[in-house]
Amino acid sequence: MIGTDLTGLGMALVAGAALGAGYFAGLWLTVCRLSNTRSPYRFYSVSLLLRLTLVLAGFYLLASGGCGDLLAAGVGFMVSRQLWLIAMRSRTGQPVRNDNQDP
Protein backbone atom coordinates (compact mmCIF):
# COMPACT_ATOMS: atom_id res chain seq x y z
CA MET A 1 0.00 0.00 0.00
CA ILE A 2 1.34 3.39 -0.99
CA GLY A 3 1.19 5.99 1.77
CA THR A 4 0.38 9.62 1.16
CA ASP A 5 2.57 12.22 2.79
CA LEU A 6 -0.08 14.59 4.13
CA THR A 7 2.53 16.89 5.63
CA GLY A 8 4.16 17.34 2.23
CA LEU A 9 0.81 17.98 0.57
CA GLY A 10 -0.11 20.49 3.27
CA MET A 11 3.20 22.31 2.84
CA ALA A 12 2.69 22.37 -0.94
CA LEU A 13 -0.82 23.75 -0.44
CA VAL A 14 0.52 26.53 1.80
CA ALA A 15 3.36 27.23 -0.63
CA GLY A 16 0.87 27.51 -3.51
CA ALA A 17 -1.29 29.85 -1.43
CA ALA A 18 1.77 31.99 -0.67
CA LEU A 19 2.67 32.11 -4.36
CA GLY A 20 -0.90 33.12 -5.17
CA ALA A 21 -0.96 35.79 -2.47
CA GLY A 22 2.29 37.25 -3.80
CA TYR A 23 1.06 37.15 -7.39
CA PHE A 24 -2.28 38.81 -6.69
CA ALA A 25 -0.78 41.37 -4.29
CA GLY A 26 1.67 42.30 -7.04
CA LEU A 27 -1.19 42.55 -9.52
CA TRP A 28 -3.13 44.79 -7.14
CA LEU A 29 -0.13 47.08 -6.65
CA THR A 30 0.43 47.21 -10.39
CA VAL A 31 -3.16 48.20 -11.14
CA CYS A 32 -3.11 50.84 -8.40
CA ARG A 33 0.05 52.44 -9.78
CA LEU A 34 -0.77 52.29 -13.51
CA SER A 35 -2.34 55.74 -13.59
CA ASN A 36 0.79 57.35 -12.09
CA THR A 37 3.32 55.97 -14.56
CA ARG A 38 4.59 57.58 -17.72
CA SER A 39 4.59 54.30 -19.64
CA PRO A 40 1.78 52.06 -18.37
CA TYR A 41 2.27 49.38 -21.02
CA ARG A 42 5.93 48.94 -20.14
CA PHE A 43 5.19 49.03 -16.40
CA TYR A 44 2.46 46.39 -16.72
CA SER A 45 4.61 44.21 -18.99
CA VAL A 46 7.58 44.27 -16.61
CA SER A 47 5.30 43.58 -13.65
CA LEU A 48 3.66 40.67 -15.46
CA LEU A 49 7.02 39.21 -16.46
CA LEU A 50 8.32 39.48 -12.90
CA ARG A 51 5.17 37.99 -11.32
CA LEU A 52 5.01 35.11 -13.80
CA THR A 53 8.72 34.36 -13.42
CA LEU A 54 8.42 34.12 -9.65
CA VAL A 55 5.27 31.99 -9.74
CA LEU A 56 6.57 29.63 -12.41
CA ALA A 57 9.88 29.24 -10.57
CA GLY A 58 7.97 28.39 -7.40
CA PHE A 59 5.80 25.83 -9.19
CA TYR A 60 8.91 24.38 -10.84
CA LEU A 61 10.48 23.84 -7.44
CA LEU A 62 7.26 22.32 -6.09
CA ALA A 63 7.03 19.99 -9.08
CA SER A 64 10.08 18.10 -7.85
CA GLY A 65 7.84 16.67 -5.11
CA GLY A 66 5.63 14.96 -7.67
CA CYS A 67 2.23 15.45 -9.21
CA GLY A 68 0.44 15.43 -5.86
CA ASP A 69 2.47 18.35 -4.56
CA LEU A 70 2.01 20.26 -7.80
CA LEU A 71 -1.75 19.70 -7.69
CA ALA A 72 -1.91 20.78 -4.04
CA ALA A 73 0.06 23.94 -4.89
CA GLY A 74 -2.36 24.69 -7.73
CA VAL A 75 -5.30 24.29 -5.36
CA GLY A 76 -3.58 26.61 -2.87
CA PHE A 77 -3.03 29.17 -5.63
CA MET A 78 -6.72 29.10 -6.59
CA VAL A 79 -7.84 29.29 -2.95
CA SER A 80 -5.59 32.32 -2.55
CA ARG A 81 -7.28 33.91 -5.56
CA GLN A 82 -10.73 33.38 -4.08
CA LEU A 83 -9.67 34.75 -0.70
CA TRP A 84 -8.14 37.78 -2.43
CA LEU A 85 -11.43 38.45 -4.26
CA ILE A 86 -13.41 38.13 -1.02
CA ALA A 87 -11.03 40.51 0.75
CA MET A 88 -11.22 43.09 -2.04
CA ARG A 89 -15.02 42.82 -2.22
CA SER A 90 -15.38 43.49 1.51
CA ARG A 91 -12.87 46.34 1.29
CA THR A 92 -14.67 48.19 -1.51
CA GLY A 93 -18.20 47.24 -0.46
CA GLN A 94 -19.04 46.42 -4.07
CA PRO A 95 -18.68 43.28 -6.14
CA VAL A 96 -15.36 43.10 -7.93
CA ARG A 97 -17.14 41.88 -11.02
CA ASN A 98 -20.83 42.29 -11.79
CA ASP A 99 -22.11 39.95 -14.49
CA ASN A 100 -25.75 40.97 -14.00
CA GLN A 101 -25.47 44.30 -15.80
CA ASP A 102 -27.26 44.77 -19.09
CA PRO A 103 -24.95 45.55 -22.01
Side-chain angles (χ1 to χ4, degrees), residues 21-89:
Y23 180 86
F24 293 113
L27 178 60
W28 180 257
L29 289 174
T30 299
V31 169
C32 288
R33 294 182 183 179
L34 273 179
S35 62
N36 299 331
T37 61
R38 291 190 313 162
S39 178
Y41 294 116
R42 184 181 313 166
F43 182 71
Y44 182 77
S45 298
V46 169
S47 171
L48 177 66
L49 184 64
L50 180 65
R51 286 182 285 119
L52 281 178
T53 300
L54 291 174
V55 167
L56 290 176
F59 275 111
Y60 178 76
L61 292 174
L62 289 167
S64 65
C67 292
D69 285 350
L70 192 58
L71 183 63
V75 168
F77 191 87
M78 290 294 114
V79 166
S80 175
R81 177 188 177 270
Q82 291 301 320
L83 291 176
W84 190 264
L85 286 174
I86 290 168
M88 290 300 112
R89 185 175 303 134

